[in-house]
mmCIF file of all heavy atoms in Angstrom:
data_model
loop_
_atom_site.group_PDB
_atom_site.id
_atom_site.type_symbol
_atom_site.label_atom_id
_atom_site.label_comp_id
_atom_site.label_asym_id
_atom_site.label_seq_id
_atom_site.Cartn_x
_atom_site.Cartn_y
_atom_site.Cartn_z
ATOM 1 N N SER A 1 3.006 -45.456 35.374
ATOM 2 C CA SER A 1 3.453 -44.069 35.490
ATOM 3 C C SER A 1 4.973 -43.980 35.450
ATOM 4 O O SER A 1 5.678 -44.887 35.892
ATOM 5 C CB SER A 1 2.905 -43.411 36.767
ATOM 6 O OG SER A 1 3.347 -44.086 37.899
ATOM 7 N N ILE A 2 5.427 -42.875 34.888
ATOM 8 C CA ILE A 2 6.860 -42.578 34.829
ATOM 9 C C ILE A 2 7.045 -41.176 35.396
ATOM 10 O O ILE A 2 6.384 -40.227 34.975
ATOM 11 C CB ILE A 2 7.408 -42.639 33.391
ATOM 12 C CG1 ILE A 2 7.167 -44.024 32.785
ATOM 13 C CG2 ILE A 2 8.896 -42.306 33.391
ATOM 14 C CD1 ILE A 2 7.638 -44.148 31.343
ATOM 15 N N ARG A 3 7.947 -41.084 36.355
ATOM 16 C CA ARG A 3 8.246 -39.791 36.973
ATOM 17 C C ARG A 3 9.647 -39.362 36.541
ATOM 18 O O ARG A 3 10.600 -40.153 36.581
ATOM 19 C CB ARG A 3 8.170 -39.881 38.492
ATOM 20 C CG ARG A 3 8.278 -38.524 39.186
ATOM 21 C CD ARG A 3 8.049 -38.636 40.686
ATOM 22 N NE ARG A 3 9.012 -39.490 41.355
ATOM 23 C CZ ARG A 3 10.247 -39.105 41.706
ATOM 24 N NH1 ARG A 3 10.659 -37.880 41.449
ATOM 25 N NH2 ARG A 3 11.054 -39.942 42.321
ATOM 26 N N PHE A 4 9.736 -38.132 36.095
ATOM 27 C CA PHE A 4 11.009 -37.543 35.696
ATOM 28 C C PHE A 4 11.336 -36.403 36.643
ATOM 29 O O PHE A 4 10.494 -35.539 36.905
ATOM 30 C CB PHE A 4 10.929 -36.997 34.265
ATOM 31 C CG PHE A 4 10.676 -38.056 33.232
ATOM 32 C CD1 PHE A 4 9.388 -38.333 32.818
ATOM 33 C CD2 PHE A 4 11.719 -38.775 32.676
ATOM 34 C CE1 PHE A 4 9.137 -39.304 31.864
ATOM 35 C CE2 PHE A 4 11.487 -39.753 31.726
ATOM 36 C CZ PHE A 4 10.185 -40.024 31.316
ATOM 37 N N ALA A 5 12.541 -36.405 37.148
ATOM 38 C CA ALA A 5 13.001 -35.332 38.025
ATOM 39 C C ALA A 5 13.532 -34.180 37.170
ATOM 40 O O ALA A 5 14.012 -34.399 36.055
ATOM 41 C CB ALA A 5 14.099 -35.851 38.955
ATOM 42 N N PRO A 6 13.461 -32.970 37.698
ATOM 43 C CA PRO A 6 14.003 -31.837 36.941
ATOM 44 C C PRO A 6 15.518 -31.911 36.854
ATOM 45 O O PRO A 6 16.181 -32.402 37.765
ATOM 46 C CB PRO A 6 13.562 -30.627 37.756
ATOM 47 C CG PRO A 6 13.305 -31.136 39.128
ATOM 48 C CD PRO A 6 12.907 -32.576 38.989
ATOM 49 N N ASN A 7 16.054 -31.435 35.771
ATOM 50 C CA ASN A 7 17.489 -31.246 35.649
ATOM 51 C C ASN A 7 17.796 -29.947 36.370
ATOM 52 O O ASN A 7 17.215 -28.907 36.057
ATOM 53 C CB ASN A 7 17.876 -31.164 34.166
ATOM 54 C CG ASN A 7 19.342 -30.874 33.958
ATOM 55 O OD1 ASN A 7 19.877 -29.900 34.477
ATOM 56 N ND2 ASN A 7 19.988 -31.716 33.184
ATOM 57 N N GLU A 8 18.681 -29.990 37.331
ATOM 58 C CA GLU A 8 18.927 -28.817 38.177
ATOM 59 C C GLU A 8 19.401 -27.587 37.400
ATOM 60 O O GLU A 8 19.273 -26.461 37.863
ATOM 61 C CB GLU A 8 19.925 -29.140 39.288
ATOM 62 C CG GLU A 8 21.322 -29.453 38.788
ATOM 63 C CD GLU A 8 22.286 -29.745 39.917
ATOM 64 O OE1 GLU A 8 22.375 -28.934 40.862
ATOM 65 O OE2 GLU A 8 22.942 -30.798 39.855
ATOM 66 N N TRP A 9 19.958 -27.766 36.215
ATOM 67 C CA TRP A 9 20.475 -26.657 35.432
ATOM 68 C C TRP A 9 19.435 -26.091 34.465
ATOM 69 O O TRP A 9 19.682 -25.081 33.822
ATOM 70 C CB TRP A 9 21.709 -27.089 34.635
ATOM 71 C CG TRP A 9 22.744 -27.715 35.501
ATOM 72 C CD1 TRP A 9 23.079 -29.033 35.548
ATOM 73 C CD2 TRP A 9 23.552 -27.071 36.479
ATOM 74 N NE1 TRP A 9 24.047 -29.245 36.484
ATOM 75 C CE2 TRP A 9 24.367 -28.049 37.075
ATOM 76 C CE3 TRP A 9 23.672 -25.753 36.918
ATOM 77 C CZ2 TRP A 9 25.276 -27.760 38.067
ATOM 78 C CZ3 TRP A 9 24.594 -25.470 37.915
ATOM 79 C CH2 TRP A 9 25.377 -26.452 38.474
ATOM 80 N N LYS A 10 18.270 -26.753 34.368
ATOM 81 C CA LYS A 10 17.325 -26.344 33.332
ATOM 82 C C LYS A 10 15.882 -26.221 33.799
ATOM 83 O O LYS A 10 15.189 -25.296 33.412
ATOM 84 C CB LYS A 10 17.405 -27.348 32.180
ATOM 85 C CG LYS A 10 16.456 -27.067 31.047
ATOM 86 C CD LYS A 10 16.678 -28.054 29.928
ATOM 87 C CE LYS A 10 15.697 -27.818 28.814
ATOM 88 N NZ LYS A 10 15.874 -28.763 27.732
ATOM 89 N N HIS A 11 15.413 -27.168 34.582
ATOM 90 C CA HIS A 11 13.989 -27.233 34.925
ATOM 91 C C HIS A 11 13.713 -26.732 36.343
ATOM 92 O O HIS A 11 14.536 -26.901 37.231
ATOM 93 C CB HIS A 11 13.485 -28.682 34.818
ATOM 94 C CG HIS A 11 13.669 -29.282 33.474
ATOM 95 N ND1 HIS A 11 14.713 -30.137 33.187
ATOM 96 C CD2 HIS A 11 12.949 -29.161 32.333
ATOM 97 C CE1 HIS A 11 14.628 -30.517 31.934
ATOM 98 N NE2 HIS A 11 13.568 -29.942 31.379
ATOM 99 N N GLU A 12 12.536 -26.168 36.518
ATOM 100 C CA GLU A 12 12.093 -25.764 37.854
ATOM 101 C C GLU A 12 11.257 -26.852 38.516
ATOM 102 O O GLU A 12 11.098 -26.858 39.726
ATOM 103 C CB GLU A 12 11.289 -24.459 37.768
ATOM 104 C CG GLU A 12 12.135 -23.278 37.367
ATOM 105 C CD GLU A 12 11.328 -22.003 37.257
ATOM 106 O OE1 GLU A 12 10.082 -22.047 37.247
ATOM 107 O OE2 GLU A 12 11.972 -20.930 37.161
ATOM 108 N N GLU A 13 10.705 -27.755 37.709
ATOM 109 C CA GLU A 13 9.854 -28.814 38.242
ATOM 110 C C GLU A 13 9.990 -30.065 37.394
ATOM 111 O O GLU A 13 10.461 -30.023 36.267
ATOM 112 C CB GLU A 13 8.398 -28.355 38.307
ATOM 113 C CG GLU A 13 7.870 -27.809 37.011
ATOM 114 C CD GLU A 13 6.553 -27.065 37.168
ATOM 115 O OE1 GLU A 13 6.004 -27.007 38.278
ATOM 116 O OE2 GLU A 13 6.066 -26.547 36.165
ATOM 117 N N GLY A 14 9.577 -31.191 37.968
ATOM 118 C CA GLY A 14 9.627 -32.460 37.279
ATOM 119 C C GLY A 14 8.344 -32.725 36.503
ATOM 120 O O GLY A 14 7.449 -31.876 36.431
ATOM 121 N N LEU A 15 8.248 -33.921 35.954
ATOM 122 C CA LEU A 15 7.118 -34.308 35.119
ATOM 123 C C LEU A 15 6.672 -35.713 35.491
ATOM 124 O O LEU A 15 7.501 -36.611 35.657
ATOM 125 C CB LEU A 15 7.531 -34.270 33.637
ATOM 126 C CG LEU A 15 6.515 -34.748 32.620
ATOM 127 C CD1 LEU A 15 5.317 -33.796 32.545
ATOM 128 C CD2 LEU A 15 7.171 -34.878 31.245
ATOM 129 N N LEU A 16 5.361 -35.890 35.623
ATOM 130 C CA LEU A 16 4.765 -37.200 35.851
ATOM 131 C C LEU A 16 3.885 -37.524 34.653
ATOM 132 O O LEU A 16 3.004 -36.722 34.299
ATOM 133 C CB LEU A 16 3.927 -37.216 37.132
ATOM 134 C CG LEU A 16 3.128 -38.494 37.397
ATOM 135 C CD1 LEU A 16 4.051 -39.674 37.675
ATOM 136 C CD2 LEU A 16 2.157 -38.284 38.547
ATOM 137 N N ILE A 17 4.132 -38.666 34.023
ATOM 138 C CA ILE A 17 3.286 -39.111 32.915
ATOM 139 C C ILE A 17 2.598 -40.400 33.359
ATOM 140 O O ILE A 17 3.257 -41.334 33.811
ATOM 141 C CB ILE A 17 4.090 -39.367 31.629
ATOM 142 C CG1 ILE A 17 4.892 -38.126 31.239
ATOM 143 C CG2 ILE A 17 3.144 -39.777 30.492
ATOM 144 C CD1 ILE A 17 5.794 -38.328 30.034
ATOM 145 N N ARG A 18 1.273 -40.403 33.248
ATOM 146 C CA ARG A 18 0.478 -41.585 33.589
ATOM 147 C C ARG A 18 -0.143 -42.118 32.311
ATOM 148 O O ARG A 18 -0.709 -41.361 31.520
ATOM 149 C CB ARG A 18 -0.596 -41.240 34.607
ATOM 150 C CG ARG A 18 0.031 -40.741 35.919
ATOM 151 C CD ARG A 18 -0.963 -40.589 37.011
ATOM 152 N NE ARG A 18 -1.371 -41.936 37.418
ATOM 153 C CZ ARG A 18 -2.560 -42.222 37.928
ATOM 154 N NH1 ARG A 18 -3.458 -41.283 38.101
ATOM 155 N NH2 ARG A 18 -2.860 -43.447 38.273
ATOM 156 N N TYR A 19 -0.034 -43.429 32.119
ATOM 157 C CA TYR A 19 -0.519 -44.097 30.921
ATOM 158 C C TYR A 19 -1.691 -44.993 31.301
ATOM 159 O O TYR A 19 -1.584 -45.803 32.230
ATOM 160 C CB TYR A 19 0.587 -44.947 30.295
ATOM 161 C CG TYR A 19 1.805 -44.139 29.904
ATOM 162 C CD1 TYR A 19 2.841 -43.908 30.816
ATOM 163 C CD2 TYR A 19 1.929 -43.615 28.624
ATOM 164 C CE1 TYR A 19 3.958 -43.172 30.463
ATOM 165 C CE2 TYR A 19 3.043 -42.873 28.267
ATOM 166 C CZ TYR A 19 4.053 -42.660 29.182
ATOM 167 O OH TYR A 19 5.155 -41.927 28.833
ATOM 168 N N PHE A 20 -2.778 -44.878 30.554
ATOM 169 C CA PHE A 20 -4.001 -45.629 30.836
ATOM 170 C C PHE A 20 -4.275 -46.625 29.708
ATOM 171 O O PHE A 20 -4.041 -46.322 28.539
ATOM 172 C CB PHE A 20 -5.181 -44.669 30.990
ATOM 173 C CG PHE A 20 -4.939 -43.618 32.036
ATOM 174 C CD1 PHE A 20 -4.443 -42.371 31.698
ATOM 175 C CD2 PHE A 20 -5.168 -43.896 33.374
ATOM 176 C CE1 PHE A 20 -4.191 -41.408 32.662
ATOM 177 C CE2 PHE A 20 -4.921 -42.941 34.357
ATOM 178 C CZ PHE A 20 -4.435 -41.698 33.998
ATOM 179 N N GLY A 21 -4.776 -47.793 30.084
ATOM 180 C CA GLY A 21 -5.079 -48.818 29.092
ATOM 181 C C GLY A 21 -3.832 -49.292 28.371
ATOM 182 O O GLY A 21 -3.818 -49.437 27.150
ATOM 183 N N VAL A 22 -2.776 -49.560 29.123
ATOM 184 C CA VAL A 22 -1.496 -49.958 28.543
ATOM 185 C C VAL A 22 -1.599 -51.362 27.934
ATOM 186 O O VAL A 22 -2.050 -52.300 28.583
ATOM 187 C CB VAL A 22 -0.372 -49.919 29.604
ATOM 188 C CG1 VAL A 22 0.930 -50.465 29.054
ATOM 189 C CG2 VAL A 22 -0.187 -48.496 30.121
ATOM 190 N N THR A 23 -1.174 -51.464 26.686
ATOM 191 C CA THR A 23 -1.131 -52.762 26.009
ATOM 192 C C THR A 23 0.291 -53.209 25.717
ATOM 193 O O THR A 23 0.530 -54.366 25.384
ATOM 194 C CB THR A 23 -1.925 -52.721 24.685
ATOM 195 O OG1 THR A 23 -1.407 -51.673 23.871
ATOM 196 C CG2 THR A 23 -3.415 -52.500 24.956
ATOM 197 N N ARG A 24 1.245 -52.290 25.843
ATOM 198 C CA ARG A 24 2.651 -52.641 25.631
ATOM 199 C C ARG A 24 3.522 -51.704 26.443
ATOM 200 O O ARG A 24 3.322 -50.491 26.450
ATOM 201 C CB ARG A 24 3.007 -52.521 24.151
ATOM 202 C CG ARG A 24 4.460 -52.835 23.863
ATOM 203 C CD ARG A 24 4.766 -52.723 22.388
ATOM 204 N NE ARG A 24 6.176 -52.982 22.136
ATOM 205 C CZ ARG A 24 6.768 -52.721 21.007
ATOM 206 N NH1 ARG A 24 6.096 -52.215 20.004
ATOM 207 N NH2 ARG A 24 8.043 -52.978 20.863
#
């Protein structure tokens, strides 16, 4: 998983991306 925090000047919320079956 990769978590991205919001940019205080642009975003209201962050983003979490979860990757399944990772081969690379």
